[in-house]
Amino acid sequence: GGGIGPYLHAFRRRWPVVIFLGLLTASVCAVAAWFLVVPRYSATALIRVSAANQAVLFESSGDARNFEVYKSTQLEYLRSRFVLVSALRRPEVARLASIQDEPDPVQWVSDRLSVRYPGNAELMQVSFTGEKGDEAAALVNAIVDAYMEEVVDVEQNERRNRLGELDQLYVEKE
């Protein structure tokens, strides 16, 4: 006959051996997991990408399609090589051990960098995953700062210059 009865009877006779082998196997697996699993740390920053663009002279009709294109453009700017190179040139990032060990640090950062818009919002989420938490945070901060300097500040300066030109033309025509 079948059933679980014969197994219970065998366990009653050999329970010390079964428990010993179970504990031995569990401890070997725990030690292997302790040494083989590398902890991963993730640092995240949020950047607001406004849907309403400030007009210099005339109000423009902003539709959803234009905003989606704008968001995609900003995402690609942040992931671009010139922003990443600018971030890696910063002294606090250049002296990180992870950066110095890599033959191509820009590609290494690009592979571990995640940029997305969660929930189709005006927030761009920039995340970096690495083996050391302080290095991940330093890299995210440097990338966001480089993006703000290389892309956002340049766009704002262009708008200011255009507004200055329009003011000058207005004064001349007046």
Side-chain angles (χ1 to χ4, degrees), residues 21-114:
L21 288 176
L23 289 174
L24 182 67
T25 304
S27 61
V28 167
C29 290
V31 168
W34 180 264
F35 286 108
L36 294 178
V37 174
V38 178
R40 295 273 183 203
Y41 297 95
S42 183
T44 302
L46 294 174
I47 302 171
R48 182 172 183 258
V49 178
S50 180
N53 195 2
Q54 293 179 342
V56 174
L57 185 59
F58 299 109
E59 292 292 327
S60 61
S61 62
D63 59 357
R65 170 126 172 50
N66 287 343
F67 181 57
E68 290 301 320
V69 169
Y70 181 73
K71 283 188 348 182
S72 297
T73 303
Q74 296 307 307
L75 186 139
E76 292 303 321
Y77 271 142
L78 194 133
R79 294 184 57 88
S80 69
R81 189 166 183 87
F82 77 93
V83 169
L84 295 180
V85 167
S86 175
L88 292 175
R89 284 186 181 152
R90 296 173 182 268
E92 66 271 11
V93 174
R95 64 176 164 251
L96 295 176
S98 299
I99 298 299
Q100 293 175 353
D101 294 343
E102 291 298 321
D104 186 7
V106 175
Q107 185 63 41
W108 181 79
V109 169
S110 179
D111 291 342
R112 286 161 180 75
L113 183 66
S114 169

Side-chain angles (χ1 to χ4, degrees), residues 5 77 116 125 131 172:
Y77 271 142
R116 64 187 192 96
Q125 181 180 7
E131 288 79 22
E172 287 176 5

Side-chain angles (χ1 to χ4, degrees), residues 116-137:
R116 64 187 192 96
Y117 289 95
N120 199 20
E122 289 185 357
L123 296 175
M124 180 168 43
Q125 181 180 7
V126 182
S127 299
F128 184 84
T129 303
E131 288 79 22
K132 297 178 182 174
D134 55 342
E135 289 186 0

